[in-house]
Amino acid sequence: MRLAAALGSTCRIIAPDLSGYGNNPGPFTLPTTLSQEVELLADRLNQSAGPIHLVGHSYGGAIAFKIATASAFASRVRSLTLIEPVLPTLLREGVADRRLYERFAGVAQDVCVDLWRGLALEAIDKFTDFWNGSGPPEQLSPAARLRMIEHADKLAFDFTAVLAEENVERAAAALRVPTLLFSGGLSPYLTQRIVERLASIIDGADARHLPAAGHMLPISHSTIINPEIARHIARADELAGLALASSQPPAWLLQPGLVQ
């Protein structure tokens, strides 16, 4: 894990597979809300008693946002890094942004219809075409394509969860933890706009835009992004240390954090 290497030994790294992905099959009934996704991560989050530094990308970014704003773990979050979080309902109410929301909802419907018809390959093609944004078409390797086919049904649940999320703007406005945001200039404009809106709403948010990056920027541009995340986490720890120095013993500051 490249981010773990950038952070060194300062944090305890926990990178759980989300339900329905990797080695985590999830419950029999997969989650259809971000709150349910957070509940399924509770055991992993409870593995650390210290402060939490959350790092999330795409759908994982939406879950990280939910943890930081509306969960039992919110008070433990010391910093938040969101890389193109999928929070489309943030754009639903604004007249200028509504077409972006409607475009995303249309893609979601098309993908879900294909999945219901058993057309996994067609669903995956529509999904990847959307996330390619304005970048060059990406040819998936046979192994990557097979992994997507194996987990294709989860896409319908993920779309349902992000499209059901309410009050994103209100939650963002209430955030009071150091927040770092990333977007790529070749990504779908939907996610670029979500990051722009979050940057304007979250108090003190620090936004970074990489013009030549696409939606998979945590991988393609890790050499740029990871040092920024490491500095963001170190700064958040420094600020917390200054605030607590007069009332907490120094040993408390040495407790490892948790990065998702």
Side-chain angles (χ1 to χ4, degrees), residues 16-35:
D17 289 328
L18 300 180
S19 61
Y21 294 110
N23 295 318
N24 181 7
F28 179 77
T29 301
L30 289 170
T32 56
T33 67
L34 295 181
S35 293

Side-chain angles (χ1 to χ4, degrees), residues 119-140:
L119 304 175
L121 290 176
E122 288 80 356
I124 289 169
D125 286 342
K126 290 173 182 174
F127 180 82
T128 55
D129 284 348
F130 175 79
W131 288 113
N132 277 340
S134 58
E138 181 179 354
Q139 296 298 320
L140 295 174

Side-chain angles (χ1 to χ4, degrees), residues 162-224:
V162 296
L163 289 170
E165 190 63 16
E166 300 287 348
N167 301 316
V168 175
E169 182 172 358
R170 184 186 306 172
L175 262 176
R176 292 296 181 269
V177 298
T179 302
L180 178 62
L181 304 166
F182 286 100
S183 64
L186 301 181
S187 297
Y189 188 59
L190 171 99
T191 47
Q192 295 184 57
R193 183 60 181 150
I194 288 171
V195 170
E196 289 177 359
R197 291 283 291 120
L198 289 174
S200 70
I201 297 168
I202 299 173
D203 187 31
D206 189 4
R208 300 280 192 274
H209 183 70
L210 282 64
H215 186 61
M216 295 307 294
L217 64 167
I219 297 173
S220 63
H221 289 69
S222 61
T223 57
I224 298 173

Side-chain angles (χ1 to χ4, degrees), residues 101-154:
Y101 167 81
E102 291 173 350
R103 162 68 174 143
F104 181 84
V107 171
Q109 182 177 21
D110 290 345
V111 170
C112 291
V113 167
D114 281 344
L115 291 172
W116 292 330
R117 292 175 176 173
L119 304 175
L121 290 176
E122 288 80 356
I124 289 169
D125 286 342
K126 290 173 182 174
F127 180 82
T128 55
D129 284 348
F130 175 79
W131 288 113
N132 277 340
S134 58
E138 181 179 354
Q139 296 298 320
L140 295 174
S141 69
R145 197 169 183 82
L146 179 59
R147 285 195 301 272
M148 289 199 70
I149 292 172
E150 290 173 344
H151 301 292
D153 288 344
K154 181 62 165 58

Side-chain angles (χ1 to χ4, degrees), residues 75-92:
S75 62
R76 290 175 51 198
V77 175
R78 180 170 286 181
S79 77
L80 178 64
T81 298
L82 301 176
I83 307 169
E84 297 201 350
V86 185
L87 296 165
T89 54
L90 177 62
L91 308 180
R92 184 174 55 196

